[in-house]
Amino acid sequence: MRIPLLRTLVARPGRRWWLLAGAGATFTLYLALWLSGQAVASGMSPRQAIGTLLMLSVMPCYFFFCMAFLASRTQEIAARHARLTAATRLNELLYHLPGWASFALLIGALFGADQNGHIVVYWRETGDLRAPDVTIFVANTILWMSVAIMLCWRIPLSITLSKLGRDLPFNLYDQTTLLPLRKLATYDLMVVVGALAFMPLQALDAEFRLVNYFWGMLIGPPVAALLFLLPLSGIRKRMQALKQERLEALQLQLKGLNPDDTATLESVCAHMDRVRGMSNWPVDLKLVTRLISYLIIPPLAWVAAAVVEGWVERL
């Protein structure tokens, strides 16, 4: 399944900003449908509805924008290492969805629809189906289908990037070749963090509802970890192999040294300790810690705010 829109957005970066206009037009349509009647089944306040509709209209466009950005960066890596087999495979996958994407889209649609299953139940029981309720139902279904598209597209690419990492030419003492792949993995993580940052839009009425954050926080962190670590897993295997080769060479050198040559013995032993201490993951731990804090602190703050609000109301 081809993605012609993605190819266009990568070839013409200026058109990516058209997605903002698309998000605005979608929000206007959703809002018009919401205001066309009185919502019964969804039971949202006006502020909550506006925030929810804003999130539902912006996030699919946000995902396509991020896909275009990630595709351009992935294409640069593939061009830089064009001689590698995995780079050829990257170019083949860049503007296509895998064969199982149709099934994943169906799962995404059913998952999004199930979150508003009460609207369907209400319609079956009363026969009263109104435009505002249908808008919420359809918009949420589209949102989760866009999530499914994003994952169907990115996971195969991440697997191929992992294979590319195993074949990248680098040595233990000069890892500059790995920087683009490290940055790309960080971008994948930031895409998920950015998506989670849209969730508070559902609380424009300043009321905390756990259901608004439950699925995002349940699915978001594991997906972020997967998309961050999967492209780097191939480098990790390559790093382990290079470290083992180097340690074996140093061990042979150590056996051939004169036991009385203390200075050389200490130098080789210190170098072996240095090689053993090298991280198998080519990751900036300070950066990862900062990103994880961005991912964890907001939901904790929301929960704390809800607890304080409940405590104040009991006074």
Side-chain angles (χ1 to χ4, degrees), residues 116-277:
N116 290 288
H118 59 282
I119 295 178
V120 177
V121 172
Y122 181 85
W123 171 60
R124 287 180 177 178
E125 292 177 350
T126 65
D128 187 8
L129 188 62
R130 305 191 181 189
D133 298 321
V134 174
T135 301
I136 292 293
F137 182 88
V138 173
N140 194 65
T141 302
I142 293 174
L143 168 62
W144 283 101
M145 289 179 69
S146 69
V147 172
I149 291 174
M150 179 73 178
L151 294 179
C152 287
W153 174 74
R154 198 60 196 169
I155 289 176
L157 283 171
S158 295
I159 293 173
T160 307
L161 285 168
S162 175
K163 295 177 181 178
L164 180 70
R166 283 182 291 188
D167 299 330
L168 281 180
F170 72 95
N171 60 63
L172 294 177
Y173 312 106
D174 182 12
Q175 300 181 14
T176 54
T177 308
L178 307 180
L179 289 177
L181 193 53
R182 288 170 52 182
K183 288 183 178 179
L184 185 59
T186 304
Y187 293 148
D188 281 324
L189 176 60
M190 291 303 297
V191 167
V192 180
V193 173
L196 295 177
F198 284 111
M199 292 194 300
L201 288 173
Q202 302 170 90
L204 287 186
D205 56 352
E207 183 176 344
F208 179 85
R209 302 174 187 85
L210 180 60
V211 68
N212 290 343
Y213 310 102
F214 178 78
W215 287 113
M217 295 311 304
L218 184 65
I219 297 174
V223 169
L226 175 67
L227 295 181
F228 179 68
L229 296 176
L230 189 55
L232 300 178
S233 60
I235 296 178
R236 176 178 177 271
K237 292 181 180 179
R238 176 67 173 159
M239 188 77 72
Q240 288 175 324
L242 289 176
K243 286 173 62 177
Q244 185 62 32
E245 291 176 5
R246 184 56 180 160
L247 287 172
E248 290 175 357
L250 289 171
Q251 189 65 39
L252 289 175
Q253 181 181 351
L254 190 63
K255 290 180 179 180
L257 291 177
N258 185 345
D260 297 328
D261 189 356
T262 307
T264 305
L265 285 172
E266 288 295 331
S267 176
V268 173
C269 289
H271 189 60
M272 292 178 69
D273 289 338
R274 179 191 172 192
V275 172
R276 291 192 186 99

